[in-house]
Amino acid sequence: MKVAIVHEWLDSFAGSERVVEQLLAEWPEADLHVLVDFMPEAERGWLGGRTVRTSFLQRLPFARKHFRKYLGLMPIAVEQFDLSGYDLVLSSSHAVAKGVITGPGQLHVSYVHSPMRYAWDLQHQYLRESGMERGLKGLYARRLLHRLRQWDRSSAASPDLVVANSTFIAERIAKAWRRDSIVVHPPVDVERFALQETKGDHYLTASRMVPYKRIEVITAAFARMPGRRLVIVGDGTNEARVREAAAGAPNIEFRGRVATAELVSLTQSARACVFAAEEDFGIATVEALACGTPVIAYGRGGARDIVTDDTGLFFDAQTPEAIIAAVDRFETLSISPAACRAQAERFSRAAFRAAMRRVVEDARP
């Protein structure tokens, strides 16, 4: 069986690239196709030295730094891949990869991280945060996103089978594309985040400081709980606002960006990890549980698939008051680190590969 894997772009090794890594581990004979490949040399080890096939976007002016600005050309670019010689096509899609063209006798399974967020329910947030709510740029952006929505829905008919990375994304797929999907959770390197039974006295939040992560809300909550220590790991464009929310509280410590070993150690020793974002899935949530550390999370999005009553709890609003109430409630609970670890192991890389293999075998005639 000849296999092709299609992904949008390679410029860093993040969550969607971890999915591609495990697809390549399960189908090592596969050819990899991407729109552009600007992955730094130091981060290419997971590709195993294989040749990566790219689209015409790779050769356009300023593509290395600004390839995302060619968004309007991406549907055309992905349709130019000639995949006619492959028996199985696996697309890893958060934008356009699921739109590749296949024919009769070919099986196309699309693993969907999300329909185009900025074209559907997050359009207004995207325009607001990019400063394109008004004016000619705003008019152009709205027109482009309108066209992308039309293409996104029509091309959603291309895959024979759609796989969603969480129940939340399956609901988004049903809403945007009117398609059913199978849920297979993404792979998490739970082996790197080892179980530790002994906990310290700090709460932890670790993430990029960007608006949707709502780190400033967590910070404001702990600024009003002087008896509870919060450690914040990460940096980003929203850092000034996060520091302002801390208001110089002595119980809040900023660590900035840390090495992986330090992040693991902080997660292992945390009393609980706190997350306030509405995530498509939430890999960091699984990593916390793998360390035996309970999770306090906003009760929408992918976290609903991860956190159970015996591994943490939810709060129902992205407000300091809701987080304070959740932390107070958490302090009354007794959560087993072993139960947290057992839940995390459901999302291992081996579990992902086995589930995707079953999906493909069940879909083959």
Side-chain angles (χ1 to χ4, degrees):
M1 184 170 63
K2 194 171 181 185
V3 182
I5 295 174
V6 183
H7 186 54
E8 269 96 15
W9 53 73
L10 296 177
D11 71 327
S12 64
F13 187 64
S16 61
E17 287 71 37
R18 295 179 194 278
V19 166
V20 176
E21 176 191 36
Q22 295 307 308
L23 292 176
L24 289 170
E26 187 63 23
W27 287 276
E29 74 282 6
D31 294 328
L32 179 59
H33 298 71
V34 301
L35 297 179
V36 296
D37 176 13
F38 298 118
M39 181 70 72
E41 198 61 39
E43 298 181 32
R44 301 185 70 85
W46 63 278
L47 291 168
R50 61 171 34 86
T51 299
V52 179
R53 294 159 171 80
T54 58
S55 75
F56 67 83
L57 296 181
Q58 181 84 15
R59 300 179 295 278
L60 292 184
F62 312 111
R64 177 174 290 275
K65 289 187 177 181
H66 301 292
F67 65 85
R68 288 177 178 84
K69 294 183 179 179
Y70 290 118
L71 178 63
L73 294 175
M74 289 183 183
I76 299 171
V78 81
E79 290 173 352
Q80 302 313 303
F81 286 131
D82 180 3
L83 305 179
S84 57
Y86 294 95
D87 305 296
L88 170 65
V89 176
L90 300 165
S91 58
S92 161
S93 185
H94 54 73
V96 301
K98 59 97 170 62
V100 292
I101 297 172
T102 55
Q106 294 179 285
L107 175 62
H108 177 191
V109 176
S110 186
Y111 188 88
V112 178
H113 308 278
S114 176
M116 290 188 205
R117 304 171 185 88
Y118 34 82
W120 292 99
D121 52 316
L122 299 184
Q123 172 188 287
H124 300 293
Q125 178 182 327
Y126 167 76
L127 292 171
R128 184 169 57 252
E129 292 176 359
S130 58
M132 292 190 292
E133 286 185 286
R134 298 180 177 85
L136 290 177
K137 284 186 177 180
L139 183 62
Y140 170 77
R142 290 173 194 276
R143 172 62 178 162
L144 173 62
L145 293 175
H146 174 72
R147 291 172 59 197
L148 285 172
R149 271 193 299 278
Q150 292 176 320
W151 180 88
D152 196 42
R153 176 168 284 177
S154 65
S155 64
S158 298
D160 298 290
L161 190 66
V162 175
V163 181
N165 76 348
S166 68
T167 304
F168 178 61
I169 294 303
E171 293 168 354
R172 185 178 277 170
I173 287 168
K175 183 77 171 179
W177 298 347
R178 300 293 190 263
R179 282 207 64 167
D180 293 332
S181 56
I182 298 169
V183 175
V184 173
H185 298 111
V188 182
D189 185 2
V190 296
E191 293 80 11
R192 184 173 58 166
F193 289 80
L195 171 65
Q196 180 173 303
E197 299 273 354
T198 305
K199 302 300 175 185
D201 66 348
H202 70 276
Y203 290 81
L204 176 70
T205 188
S207 105
R208 293 175 296 118
M209 291 187 188
V210 292
Y212 91 92
K213 294 288 189 179
R214 308 305 298 271
I215 306 299
E216 75 281 359
V217 178
I218 300 172
T219 307
F222 277 84
R224 291 163 53 179
M225 295 186 286
R228 290 170 181 153
R229 180 176 165 228
L230 175 68
V231 175
I232 302 174
V233 170
D235 58 14
T237 57
N238 215 38
E239 184 170 351
R241 188 175 178 188
V242 175
R243 289 185 177 274
E244 182 181 353
N251 62 313
I252 297 175
E253 179 183 353
F254 288 85
R255 291 288 185 96
R257 186 179 297 185
V258 301
T260 299
E262 184 177 352
L263 174 61
V264 171
S265 177
L266 286 168
T267 306
Q268 289 172 325
S269 59
R271 185 164 178 77
C273 287
V274 186
F275 301 100
E278 181 180 288
E279 299 279 9
D280 295 339
F281 176 64
I283 287 176
T285 307
V286 178
E287 291 171 343
L289 295 180
C291 293
T293 300
V295 168
I296 302 171
Y298 178 47
R300 291 195 58 181
R304 281 285 178 185
D305 286 5
I306 302 169
V307 182
T308 58
D309 289 343
D310 60 347
T311 60
L313 54 82
F314 297 109
F315 51 92
D316 60 6
Q318 293 169 308
T319 64
E321 293 76 15
I323 294 173
I324 291 168
V327 172
D328 286 343
R329 191 161 74 254
F330 171 78
E331 290 287 346
T332 69
L333 303 177
S334 178
I335 293 178
S336 161
C340 294
R341 175 70 192 190
Q343 175 67 0
E345 287 174 351
R346 295 180 55 238
F347 307 97
S348 70
R349 294 179 294 182
F352 170 81
R353 293 196 304 270
M356 287 302 295
R357 176 65 72 171
R358 284 195 301 272
V359 164
V360 169
E361 293 300 327
D362 289 347
R364 290 178 67 188

